[in-house]
Amino acid sequence: MPKIVDHDEYRRELLQKCFSIFCRKGFANVTMRELAAEIGVSTGTLYHYFPSKENIMEQMFEYVQETNVYEFVSRTAHLPTIAEKLDVFVEKWKEYGEFYQNLMLLAIDMMRHIKNRDTEQVFINFSNYYTNAMARELNIPEKQARSLFVYLLGMILHSMLTPNFLPYAEQVDTLRIILDKVLPVNDVLPATGTSMTNTAKIETEEGLSR
Amino acid sequence: MPKIVDHDEYRRELLQKCFSIFCRKGFANVTMRELAAEIGVSTGTLYHYFPSKENIMEQMFEYVQETNVYEFVSRTAHLPTIAEKLDVFVEKWKEYGEFYQNLMLLAIDMMRHIKNRDTEQVFINFSNYYTNAMARELNIPEKQARSLFVYLLGMILHSMLTPNFLPYAEQVDTLRIILDKVLPVNDVLPATGTSMTNTAKIETEEGLSR
Amino acid sequence: MPKIVDHDEYRRELLQKCFSIFCRKGFANVTMRELAAEIGVSTGTLYHYFPSKENIMEQMFEYVQETNVYEFVSRTAHLPTIAEKLDVFVEKWKEYGEFYQNLMLLAIDMMRHIKNRDTEQVFINFSNYYTNAMARELNIPEKQARSLFVYLLGMILHSMLTPNFLPYAEQVDTLRIILDKVLPVNDVLPATGTSMTNTAKIETEEGLSR
Amino acid sequence: MPKIVDHDEYRRELLQKCFSIFCRKGFANVTMRELAAEIGVSTGTLYHYFPSKENIMEQMFEYVQETNVYEFVSRTAHLPTIAEKLDVFVEKWKEYGEFYQNLMLLAIDMMRHIKNRDTEQVFINFSNYYTNAMARELNIPEKQARSLFVYLLGMILHSMLTPNFLPYAEQVDTLRIILDKVLPVNDVLPATGTSMTNTAKIETEEGLSR
DNA sequence: TATGAATGAGAATTCATTCAT
DNA sequence: TATGAATGAATTCTCATTCAT
């Protein structure tokens, strides 16, 4: 009998390990030898599970999507107030900070390297999912949520480029303060009527989200 | 080929031509041969003007900074109203859309490739310069200006990854509408006293910039 | 898969299956994985029966020799006339056409790959055996028989390189016509005295066999 | 100014050097490193002149054909008697013995390796050219000439596989003796009338060429 | 016995860089 | 100053072979 290995399970394990390495250094700056060495297998093993370096990238992109991205949404669904939901969001934004950076870098690498794939659609899906989740959970219009997503993106990028000048964690805290003022944090969901203040705020702040 | 007498002038010309190629494909995906061929010189000539591929990157980073980025500020200095200034900003944001994308990609490549260089400081300078210019010209607090810069960054990135879903030009238009509501567009500058509306708005919008 | 109890018997079975694959593609162009897959076993099994790829080649060479090559000779021994013997020869030449091609290719591969083996002697034995058999059965001098063997070799090679231009089967038919004229086809063997005609013919045709 | 090199001339020089190496060892048994080392250049240089290992093979096949193969025919054209022409043929057969072996091995390698090429046509052309040249120069029917070609092929192959048992040079001598008897060696060409003997012989020997 | 996952040396190929002209 | 031929280290990938199960 052969060595007992759950091929698919192990493949995912390898992908997981590849992810941070690839993102940190960039697709083009990691050699297969390096990758194998850092993971702790031989190059041959890598090629046993993936037909090519490019394919690792592609599979990684898929894997990362289906695995890590959406996990946190379930955490907010049952929470009664927006303030509490926002707490979870902020917590997750911090927790996943590096992950989002990596994802962003990965997306850029995908864009530049992989020709035969609809990278755009993948990112659109991600953007939509995240935007819709925020709109629903935080009870804000989609446009506001999209703006929030865009702002998060900018934050992640800036913090990545200037980690000491604009540390990511601080940026998240700042954003939290903004949102506390801007969002209908005192609403209990699902609430049919929104408070005056709240509505007014949304109108005033409409710009943020339009 | 004309004999370019001014060595330095020609070097800049070459850098200019390298810029879009490097950004579009990414540092690692351009070979010196390709670069030379697209520019229309030999690899030997490239090495006559630059000691290494990495150095082209570095010089390009410097060149791009000192040359293109700040040019537009002078255009707004003499304008009397914020609305007019905003017009110029929006126009420039559109005009330079691709350029900013490239700059962003370049910065990311720099971050990943060039070890012996304070890339962070360069990007901090850029962020500060842009933020300060916007704060001054649009008469808003620095924090607001920084938030605007971060949002621009997010916009550029999202539009780059999903050019068909969120086209950059449309995003700029949307942002313009937001800013028209949020900014003290009717102020005539330099105004010593800020109008009530304006102040109120800034307070209200504080979140955007905090 | 049935449990083959006789190790050696199974080894021969595997060799048999390897033969055409090896010859068709050439030693260097078949991987052990391919070989195993086409045979329907695992690489591990292959290595259970053969110590190395090279060894498969060597064993195959031996196996092929002792097994298939001489089989047909027994078929002609009892036939009374040369014409009848020739019939069997022609029939076998056609039947074994692909086999001879493979053998030839195998011999060339052996010559180029396997250093530690007297490939020459093996082929000399084969040449001698075939030549002697033809000389005896067709009642011609050894030199003529050797020439016939050489001609057969050329035919096989040419037909292999230009299968559409000089199809092997047609070449055999042509050769048969030649031999009908040239050989003492009407002799009944074993004849102690050779007929005049026959002798004359041999003299005339001496060239063919010298 | 660049290093002055006649690119095409040098390419041919490299092909020439590749030829014997490739033939001796076989396409699959020569590494690019080996090839480069034996030729005395770097692998980089090899790839400067040829896009791939396979392409070297293809170009070599073309080059060898157009360069070496047909050269000798011109040597016999002006000779008055068939005997003299035969002298030159024999001389060339001996001189080119190794070359023909190489060509044969190369053809087999081509057959097994190069898929995107009409290897058969190339070999048909060669066979036809050689056959026609012999038919014309030796004043024999095409069929006889083809048989002669096939026999030569067999000789080359057998001598290659058993260089000590059937040395090529001796085989050529033997063939020469055969041909002296069989061919109209005493004819003066272009002779309008063929001697009785001659015609008779051709008729008698028709078998050889059919 | 049989399997096929794992290995890593070695293959083809690329590409930044050098340098003779 | 400009060229592009030449270099060879480093890259991606292959494959014979080993070995735990």
Side-chain angles (χ1 to χ4, degrees), chain A residues 30 74 123 143 162 190:
Chain A
V30 188
S74 57
F123 196 72
K143 284 195 170 177
T162 64

Side-chain angles (χ1 to χ4, degrees), chain B residues 1-208:
Chain B
M1 184 168 302
K3 286 273 175 185
I4 302 288
V5 189
D6 189 337
H7 184 97
D8 210 56
E9 175 60 24
Y10 191 47
R11 215 196 71 245
R12 284 159 190 276
E13 218 175 286
L14 293 177
L15 281 174
Q16 180 61 43
K17 287 174 178 169
C18 287
F19 179 60
S20 62
I21 303 166
F22 253 132
C23 298
R24 189 171 66 250
K25 300 199 168 189
F27 179 77
N29 306 315
V30 187
T31 68
M32 288 298 269
R33 236 194 276 287
E34 252 179 274
L35 207 54
E38 282 211 47
I39 288 176
V41 298
S42 66
T43 57
T45 299
L46 231 43
Y47 277 91
H48 187 72
Y49 286 92
F50 309 99
S52 71
K53 190 184 176 188
E54 218 172 65
N55 180 267
I56 296 181
M57 191 77 158
E58 289 181 11
Q59 289 207 33
M60 204 163 60
F61 204 56
E62 278 172 33
Y63 167 70
V64 153
Q65 263 195 284
E66 72 194 25
T67 308
N68 301 64
V69 180
Y70 309 130
E71 172 257 354
F72 75 94
V73 176
S74 57
R75 304 284 191 85
T76 61
H78 67 285
L79 295 174
T81 67
I82 288 185
E84 284 168 299
K85 285 168 190 284
L86 197 52
D87 280 344
V88 174
F89 271 97
V90 166
E91 182 195 321
K92 288 301 167 188
W93 285 339
K94 285 193 176 176
E95 187 181 336
Y96 283 135
E98 202 188 332
F99 175 77
Y100 290 139
Q101 268 189 24
N102 286 341
L103 206 59
M104 208 188 68
L105 291 170
L106 192 65
I108 289 169
D109 263 347
M110 281 294 289
M111 193 192 70
R112 289 213 275 211
H113 283 272
I114 317 295
K115 304 300 170 197
N116 60 330
R117 199 145 230 297
D118 194 352
T119 314
E120 178 168 11
Q121 192 54 51
V122 170
F123 195 73
I124 290 172
N125 292 343
F126 177 56
S127 175
N128 281 341
Y129 185 93
Y130 221 107
T131 296
N132 293 337
M134 291 195 297
R136 181 176 5 97
E137 298 297 319
L138 301 178
N139 195 32
I140 52 175
E142 195 202 307
K143 285 195 170 180
Q144 260 190 20
R146 182 82 63 193
S147 283
L148 185 51
F149 182 76
V150 167
Y151 190 82
L152 279 166
L153 227 49
M155 249 176 59
I156 290 162
L157 180 56
H158 202 311
S159 296
M160 194 180 72
L161 292 171
T162 64
N164 301 307
F165 180 66
L166 279 192
Y168 177 74
E170 283 180 24
Q171 284 285 296
V172 172
D173 289 335
T174 302
L175 181 61
R176 209 255 137 91
I177 294 167
I178 299 176
L179 293 177
D180 270 336
K181 293 184 186 168
V182 169
L183 296 181
V185 288
N186 296 318
D187 280 15
V188 175
L189 294 169
T192 47
T194 331
S195 72
M196 264 313 272
T197 331
N198 199 2
T199 310
K201 261 190 186 290
I202 288 177
E203 272 175 357
T204 317
E205 297 302 327
E206 199 179 15
L208 186 74

Side-chain angles (χ1 to χ4, degrees), chain D residues 165-183:
Chain D
F165 179 67
L166 278 192
Y168 177 74
E170 283 180 25
Q171 285 284 298
V172 173
D173 288 336
T174 302
L175 180 61
R176 209 252 138 93
I177 293 167
I178 299 175
L179 294 177
D180 271 335
K181 294 185 186 168
V182 169
L183 297 180

Side-chain angles (χ1 to χ4, degrees), chain A residues 55-70:
Chain A
N55 180 268
I56 296 182
M57 191 75 160
E58 288 182 12
Q59 290 208 34
M60 204 163 59
F61 206 55
E62 277 171 34
Y63 169 69
V64 153
Q65 261 199 289
E66 73 192 27
T67 309
N68 301 62
V69 179
Y70 310 133

Side-chain angles (χ1 to χ4, degrees), chain C residues 168-179:
Chain C
Y168 177 73
E170 284 181 25
Q171 286 284 298
V172 173
D173 289 335
T174 303
L175 181 61
R176 207 254 138 88
I177 295 168
I178 299 176
L179 294 176

Side-chain angles (χ1 to χ4, degrees), chain A residues 77-94:
Chain A
H78 67 285
L79 296 174
T81 67
I82 289 185
E84 283 167 299
K85 286 170 189 281
L86 198 52
D87 280 343
V88 175
F89 271 97
V90 166
E91 182 196 321
K92 288 300 167 191
W93 286 340
K94 284 190 178 178

Side-chain angles (χ1 to χ4, degrees), chain A:
Chain A
M1 286 299 120
K3 199 173 286 187
I4 301 296
V5 170
D6 184 334
H7 190 95
D8 210 56
E9 176 59 23
Y10 193 48
R11 213 195 73 242
R12 285 159 190 277
E13 221 175 282
L14 293 177
L15 281 175
Q16 183 61 46
K17 286 175 180 170
C18 287
F19 179 60
S20 62
I21 303 168
F22 255 136
C23 297
R24 191 170 67 250
K25 300 198 171 190
F27 179 78
N29 306 314
V30 188
T31 70
M32 289 300 268
R33 238 195 273 287
E34 255 178 270
L35 205 56
E38 282 211 48
I39 287 175
V41 299
S42 65
T43 57
T45 299
L46 232 40
Y47 279 94
H48 185 69
Y49 287 92
F50 309 100
S52 69
K53 191 183 174 187
E54 215 171 70
N55 180 268
I56 296 182
M57 191 75 160
E58 288 182 12
Q59 290 208 34
M60 204 163 59
F61 206 55
E62 277 171 34
Y63 169 69
V64 153
Q65 261 199 289
E66 73 192 27
T67 309
N68 301 62
V69 179
Y70 310 133
E71 171 259 354
F72 77 106
V73 176
S74 57
R75 305 284 189 84
T76 61
H78 67 285
L79 296 174
T81 67
I82 289 185
E84 283 167 299
K85 286 170 189 281
L86 198 52
D87 280 343
V88 175
F89 271 97
V90 166
E91 182 196 321
K92 288 300 167 191
W93 286 340
K94 284 190 178 178
E95 187 182 336
Y96 282 138
E98 200 188 334
F99 174 77
Y100 291 139
Q101 266 188 25
N102 286 342
L103 207 59
M104 206 187 70
L105 291 170
L106 193 63
I108 290 169
D109 265 346
M110 281 293 289
M111 194 191 70
R112 290 213 273 213
H113 283 271
I114 316 295
K115 303 300 170 199
N116 59 331
R117 198 142 235 297
D118 197 351
T119 314
E120 179 169 9
Q121 192 55 52
V122 171
F123 196 72
I124 289 172
N125 290 344
F126 178 56
S127 176
N128 281 341
Y129 185 92
Y130 222 106
T131 296
N132 293 338
M134 291 195 298
R136 180 175 7 94
E137 297 297 318
L138 301 178
N139 195 32
I140 53 176
E142 195 202 306
K143 284 195 170 177
Q144 261 188 21
R146 183 83 62 194
S147 282
L148 185 51
F149 182 77
V150 167
Y151 190 81
L152 280 165
L153 226 50
M155 249 175 60
I156 290 162
L157 180 55
H158 202 314
S159 295
M160 194 180 71
L161 292 171
T162 64
N164 301 306
F165 179 67
L166 280 191
Y168 177 73
E170 284 181 25
Q171 285 284 297
V172 173
D173 289 333
T174 303
L175 181 60
R176 208 254 137 92
I177 294 168
I178 299 176
L179 293 177
D180 271 335
K181 293 184 184 168
V182 169
L183 297 180
V185 288
N186 296 317
D187 282 14
V188 175
L189 294 168
T192 47
T194 330
S195 73
M196 265 314 272
T197 330
N198 201 0
T199 311
K201 263 190 187 290
I202 288 177
E203 274 176 356
T204 316
E205 297 304 325
E206 198 182 13
L208 186 73
S209 64
R210 176 64 51 72

Side-chain angles (χ1 to χ4, degrees), chain C residues 23 26 28-29 104 109 112-113 120 127-128 147 151 154 157-158 162-165 174 178 205-208 210, chain D residues 26 28-29 104 109 112-113 120 127-128 147 150-151 154 157-158 162-165 174 178 181 205 207-208 210:
Chain C
C23 298
N29 306 315
M104 206 188 68
D109 263 348
R112 289 213 274 213
H113 284 272
E120 179 168 10
S127 176
N128 281 342
S147 282
Y151 190 83
L157 180 56
H158 202 312
T162 65
N164 301 305
F165 180 66
T174 303
I178 299 176
E205 298 303 325
E206 198 179 14
L208 186 72
R210 177 67 51 73
Chain D
N29 307 314
M104 210 187 67
D109 266 347
R112 291 213 272 210
H113 283 271
E120 178 169 11
S127 175
N128 281 342
S147 284
V150 167
Y151 190 82
L157 181 56
H158 202 311
T162 64
N164 301 306
F165 179 67
T174 302
I178 299 175
K181 294 185 186 168
E205 297 302 325
L208 186 73
R210 174 70 51 73

